[in-house]
Amino acid sequence: KTYFTVVAALVLLQSSALVVLPGERALFLTGLIASFCSFLGALSMLVTVPAVLASKSSRSIPGPLVTANFFSAMVWCLCGWMLSDPLVIGPNIVATLASGTCLYLKQIYPSDDEVPLLDCEKEASGDAATEGTPLVQVPSSTYTNFAAAPPLPSKCAKPA
């Protein structure tokens, strides 16, 4: 509800500016608001970073979305540089750095489902068609916080 209230207020502010202000000032205000929203969108990707660092798993980082955002932000930085527009360059530098941080975390803390199987786990699965799939499937509805989920049992562990 708060989100929609803020969005409605921004739309009302921009609409009012278009009616009341001269065209150039209204365009500047609209660009300023758009840049601020881009800045907040870029920082929103970093919300999951504390959980990734605590759990040492990047499962909560949406890899394809972060990758697309990284390349998009880089192109917008180039566009802002060509236009000499700091309101385009600034938020997109932040977006590039935030996306780069998330991509770096995806590399150093791979998700549980991205970790390759051990040789003994491949042998235990017995089927080459299932290579790379988890040995135990835990329904996603079981845990809402992936950091709190217990580790999957290993077929390679020797009984005590």
Side-chain angles (χ1 to χ4, degrees):
K1 184 176 176 179
T2 304
Y3 175 77
F4 290 117
T5 304
V6 171
V7 169
L10 288 175
V11 169
L12 182 63
L13 175 66
Q14 286 183 320
S15 301
S16 300
L18 288 171
V19 173
V20 175
L21 297 174
E24 193 173 309
R25 285 199 166 251
L27 181 61
F28 177 76
L29 180 64
T30 300
L32 190 65
I33 291 171
S35 292
F36 180 70
C37 291
S38 292
F39 179 75
L40 290 180
L43 292 180
S44 70
M45 288 185 292
L46 299 175
V47 168
T48 189
V49 168
V52 171
L53 295 174
S55 68
K56 307 271 192 257
S57 172
S58 63
R59 173 176 270 179
S60 60
I61 297 175
L65 177 65
V66 171
T67 303
N69 196 23
F70 178 77
F71 287 110
S72 174
M74 284 180 38
V75 171
W76 275 108
C77 283
L78 179 62
C79 178
W81 176 69
M82 291 168 65
L83 295 172
S84 299
D85 189 346
L87 290 178
V88 174
I89 297 170
N92 286 294
I93 286 175
V94 172
T96 301
L97 293 173
S99 299
T101 300
C102 289
L103 290 173
Y104 175 73
L105 290 173
K106 283 293 267 184
Q107 289 299 311
I108 62 170
Y109 300 126
S111 302
D112 295 339
D113 56 350
E114 295 170 354
V115 176
L117 292 175
L118 300 172
D119 288 337
C120 62
E121 290 174 324
K122 289 178 188 175
E123 292 169 7
S125 69
D127 185 7
T130 61
E131 185 171 312
T133 58
L135 295 173
V136 177
Q137 198 69 359
V138 178
S140 60
S141 61
T142 306
Y143 300 103
T144 55
N145 180 0
F146 290 110
L152 296 174
S154 173
K155 299 267 184 185
C156 298
K158 301 206 188 254

